Amino acid sequence: MSEYKCTDCGKYKQPDRTKFSPGDTVTFSMTRATGRDTARSMLKTGKIEQIDGDIITVKVARLGAKEVHRSRLYPEDAPGALTYALMGSCKCDFKKVEA
Ligand SMILES: [Zn+2]
């Protein structure tokens, strides 16, 4: 997990999503409405079944196959979507590109 932590800002770096391949274990967050104005975010773990461009089919236990956009998937060893949402993600590389 530490390889994702940025030494400059202390936040987590986004994973390299170009490396996904079938059979990889990934996590993603699914939002489910729990009422009229409320929703709950849940972290799901699944296995990549098929990759079609940026749409990745992930097989999730008890849910079956889910189509998830590449940008919403995290490798199993990455901190996970909820951590990024809470901590914010590192933008240092982004800044370097801009500079
Ligand atoms: Zn950083």
Side-chain angles (χ1 to χ4, degrees):
M1 195 180 267
S2 57
E3 66 173 297
Y4 289 100
K5 196 150 190 182
C6 176
T7 49
D8 290 334
C9 68
K11 292 179 179 178
Y12 290 100
K13 295 177 189 176
Q14 289 287 326
D16 183 358
R17 292 188 173 86
T18 60
K19 286 182 183 154
F20 287 141
S21 59
D24 281 3
T25 301
V26 290
T27 63
F28 63 97
S29 66
M30 245 178 63
T31 308
R32 196 177 67 179
T34 51
R36 250 181 61 135
D37 301 310
T38 52
R40 213 160 65 99
S41 227
M42 287 168 303
L43 196 67
K44 296 286 176 193
T45 303
K47 228 171 203 171
I48 293 178
E49 251 192 1
Q50 198 187 316
I51 298 174
D52 181 13
D54 280 340
I55 302 300
I56 298 182
T57 306
V58 182
K59 184 130 189 210
V60 183
R62 290 189 300 276
L63 283 176
K66 291 270 165 204
E67 287 186 346
V68 187
H69 195 271
R70 186 185 289 271
S71 64
R72 291 179 51 213
L73 290 175
Y74 294 84
E76 190 186 22
D77 63 345
L82 297 182
T83 305
Y84 287 106
L86 281 170
M87 308 266 305
S89 54
C90 166
K91 302 266 194 316
C92 294
D93 288 342
F94 197 60
K95 279 181 207 151
K96 277 177 209 153
V97 173
E98 276 184 334

